């Protein structure tokens, strides 16, 4: 069965390592914060200028001056720092963030990502996504494997305007975990109960399938 | 005014000299840390054909969004403009021009502008529509695009506290774009919650040194919250 939003978040959480500074995009990536494994410390970076994002405030703690990049009210974790947007993107662009997790519309076999603009629809803007994909070495893209109409989002060439070129190496969809290298998707894990055949059918770009594709585990 | 005293006592004085067609750099992220009273003053003045450099454009009835009502804004240079129905309408009608700029590039354009650096290279946007028509250079095997910096006729900034000399500190994440905006205006106006005497702010805690600041005014603030998220206490 396809992964739920929570399972996607749980699987990404397994990529967290002790001492990581992590930027989580809006949507499913944000849920990863709920599944940080016991016994490891990570610090969440919010690109509006907060390193060490804590949980949402209680009703009493709400403060209009304390928000995250999704414009939600948040708190600062112990050991947090707060700084300007220029400083924040110096961290991001300078490659100091250990892991970035963000959503996308499409990725392709060359590591291109399209996530911000659908021609003909209203364009709201890229926010910090272009800086994040250009600056980070370790990026995980999360998205559904195919559209509601069954069209693959893992392509030979992205069809939508790009957010970044040649910058994506890992993709977690609701069906599979894949790595991108040498101009192909490499199937690493499949969602529990999802067949390799279904993944092959829903992957338009070149896909390398090893003899054995393990099922994902979440713990 | 005398010596280093930057304090003005009215919003008319604070925004004096703003004219049609000028470029204004504004601090703030979403509705957090926006110079809400300086924006309200611009609405009152009715100044038109303005270009705003600001990460966002407020919401329909708060922040920069209120300047759309009388079509005071000609152009926005922003990273994300999605929260505003009137904005959408004017954009689709061709009444408003938008230059979408990646958030980090926008911050750096302001920083560089204020620091006397006319342009810089960044990998952000290379190979995307943002890079179209821009100079590309390769450094150490990676491709970068040239982005030009930005300065404004005015910069409008929201601080927490300032002393009368214009030294400013910001509060929590209301800092955001404000320190860069403050450096990049020919005339920089800072509105704050509290004005104190020189010496009351520790020199080491000052975010924006007074050299960048031309006018300081004390305001009172609504500080509207865009996404109120809470946990059970």
């Amino acid at each position: 069965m396809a992964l739920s939003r929570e399972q996607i978040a749980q699987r990404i959480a397994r990529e967290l390592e002790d001492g990581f500074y992590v930027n989580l995009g809006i949507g499913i990536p944000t849920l990863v914060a709920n599944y940080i494994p016991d016994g490891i410390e990570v610090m969440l970076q919010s690109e509006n200028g907060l390193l060490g994002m804590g949980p949402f405030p209680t009703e009493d703690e709400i403060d209009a001056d304390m928000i995250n990049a999704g414009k939600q009210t948040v708190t600062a974790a112990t050991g947090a720092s707060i700084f300007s947007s220029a400083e924040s993107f110096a961290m991001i662009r300078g490659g100091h963030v250990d892991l970035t997790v963000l959503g996308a519309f499409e990725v392709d076999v060359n590591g291109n990502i399209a996530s911000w603009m659908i021609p003909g629809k209203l364009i709201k803007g890229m926010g910090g996504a272009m800086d994040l994909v250009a600056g980070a070495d370790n990026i995980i893209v999360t998205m559904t494997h195919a559209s509601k109409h069954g069209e693959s989002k893992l392509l030979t060439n992205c069809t939508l305007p790009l957010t970044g070129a040649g910058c994506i190496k890992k993709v977690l969809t609701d069906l599979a975990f894949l790595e991108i290298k040498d101009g192909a998707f490499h199937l690493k894990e499949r969602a529990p109960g999802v067949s390799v055949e279904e993944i092959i059918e829903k992957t338009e770009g070149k896909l390398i399938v090893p003899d054995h594709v393990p099922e994902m585990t979440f713990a | 005014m005398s010596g280093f005293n930057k304090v003005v006592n009215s919003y008319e004085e604070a925004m004096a000299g703003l004219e049609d067609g000028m470029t204004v750099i504004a601090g703030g992220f979403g509705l957090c840390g926006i110079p809400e009273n300086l924006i309200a003053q611009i609405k009152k003045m009715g100044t038109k054909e303005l270009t705003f450099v600001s990460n966002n454009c407020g919401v329909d009835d708060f922040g920069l969004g209120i300047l759309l009502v009388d079509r005071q804004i000609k152009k926005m240079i922003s990273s994300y403009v999605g929260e505003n129905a009137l904005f959408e309408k004017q954009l689709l009608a061709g009444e408003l021009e938008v230059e979408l700029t990646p958030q980090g590039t926008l911050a750096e354009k302001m920083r560089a502008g204020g620091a006397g650096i006319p342009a810089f290279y960044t990998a952000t946007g290379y190979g995307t529509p943002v890079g179209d028509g821009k100079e590309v250079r390769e450094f150490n095997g990676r491709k970068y695009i040239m982005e030009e910096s930005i300065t404004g006729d005015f910069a409008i900034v929201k601080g927490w506290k300032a002393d009368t000399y214009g030294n400013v500190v910001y509060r929590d994440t209301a800092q955001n774009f404000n320190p860069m905006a403050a450096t990049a205006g020919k005339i920089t106006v800072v509105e704050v919650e509290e004005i104190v005497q020189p010496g009351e702010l520790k020199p080491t805690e000052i975010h924006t040194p007074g050299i960048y600041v031309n006018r300081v005014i004390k305001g009172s603030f609504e500080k509207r919250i865009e996404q109120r998220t809470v946990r059970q206490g």
Side-chain angles (χ1 to χ4, degrees), chain A residues 30-85:
Chain A
T30 308
L31 299 175
V32 175
N34 299 331
Y35 299 103
I36 296 168
D38 289 341
I40 75 164
E41 284 190 302
V42 302
M43 221 178 246
L44 301 177
Q45 205 260 13
S46 190
E47 64 266 24
N48 58 316
L50 169 61
L51 182 63
M53 181 167 57
F56 293 144
T58 62
E59 200 64 52
D60 294 340
E61 291 170 335
I62 282 189
D63 184 338
D65 290 339
M66 224 20 238
I67 66 166
N68 65 16
K71 291 150 193 162
Q72 300 171 309
T73 46
V74 290
T75 57
T78 304
S81 54
I82 293 173
F83 34 81
S84 73
S85 302

Side-chain angles (χ1 to χ4, degrees), chain A residues 9-208:
Chain A
Q10 282 174 22
R11 175 60 191 84
I12 292 167
R14 283 188 45 211
E15 301 292 310
L16 299 173
E17 292 178 26
D18 197 21
F20 261 20
Y21 296 100
V22 180
N23 184 292
L24 300 175
I26 291 163
I28 292 175
T30 308
L31 299 175
V32 175
N34 299 331
Y35 299 103
I36 296 168
D38 289 341
I40 75 164
E41 284 190 302
V42 302
M43 221 178 246
L44 301 177
Q45 205 260 13
S46 190
E47 64 266 24
N48 58 316
L50 169 61
L51 182 63
M53 181 167 57
F56 293 144
T58 62
E59 200 64 52
D60 294 340
E61 291 170 335
I62 282 189
D63 184 338
D65 290 339
M66 224 20 238
I67 66 166
N68 65 16
K71 291 150 193 162
Q72 300 171 309
T73 46
V74 290
T75 57
T78 304
S81 54
I82 293 173
F83 34 81
S84 73
S85 302
E87 184 78 50
S88 181
F89 282 93
M91 287 171 200
I92 290 166
R93 227 189 282 103
H96 303 279
V97 175
D98 297 300
L99 174 65
T100 291
V101 185
L102 78 170
F105 302 139
E106 298 173 344
V107 292
D108 72 26
V109 295
N110 295 311
N112 297 322
I113 172 172
S115 68
W116 70 285
M117 177 179 178
I118 298 177
K121 290 197 178 172
L122 186 78
I123 299 148
K124 292 185 169 187
M126 68 293 281
M130 285 192 184
D131 304 281
L132 282 159
V133 298
D137 196 39
N138 189 12
I139 304 169
I140 303 178
V141 169
T142 63
M143 55 186 211
T144 54
H145 209 98
S147 73
K148 283 175 198 151
H149 311 293
E151 291 156 342
S152 180
K153 298 181 180 180
L154 280 67
L155 305 173
T156 307
N157 288 114
C158 286
T159 62
L160 298 168
L162 298 185
T163 307
C167 48
I168 306 302
K169 295 173 193 159
K170 294 176 185 170
V171 183
L172 178 66
T173 73
D174 53 341
L175 304 181
F177 183 62
L178 309 101
E179 288 180 8
I180 303 173
K181 62 179 176 192
D182 306 327
F185 296 106
H186 295 251
L187 183 55
K188 293 290 173 184
E189 298 172 23
R190 59 196 169 86
V194 170
S195 68
V196 170
E197 289 68 31
E198 181 180 355
I199 295 164
I200 291 172
E201 186 199 328
K202 289 185 174 165
T203 306
E204 188 266 331
K206 186 178 176 187
L207 178 68
I208 309 288

Side-chain angles (χ1 to χ4, degrees), chain B residues 72-126:
Chain B
Q72 290 176 264
I73 303 178
K74 181 184 72 176
K75 181 177 177 182
M76 286 298 308
I77 301 175
S78 304
S79 88
Y80 191 82
V81 289
E83 316 298 344
N84 197 318
L86 193 52
F87 189 97
E88 193 175 321
K89 199 173 148 231
Q90 293 187 4
L91 185 62
L92 293 171
E95 295 164 353
L96 180 64
E97 198 186 326
V98 180
E99 190 176 315
L100 289 170
T101 304
Q103 198 175 328
T105 296
L106 186 64
E108 193 63 13
K109 277 172 176 265
M110 293 182 195
R111 196 197 68 79
I117 295 170
F120 56 92
Y121 291 95
T122 177
T124 303
Y126 170 74

Side-chain angles (χ1 to χ4, degrees), chain B residues 160-181:
Chain B
W160 178 29
K161 293 181 191 177
D163 64 23
T164 59
Y165 286 3
N167 294 306
V168 183
V169 294
Y170 305 96
R171 187 167 173 277
D172 291 344
T173 63
Q175 181 173 163
N176 57 58
F177 282 84
N178 282 297
M180 285 76 67

Side-chain angles (χ1 to χ4, degrees), chain B residues 188-199:
Chain B
T188 290
V189 188
V190 183
E191 61 170 340
V192 294
E193 295 169 43
E194 191 183 344
I195 296 177
V196 300
Q197 288 307 307

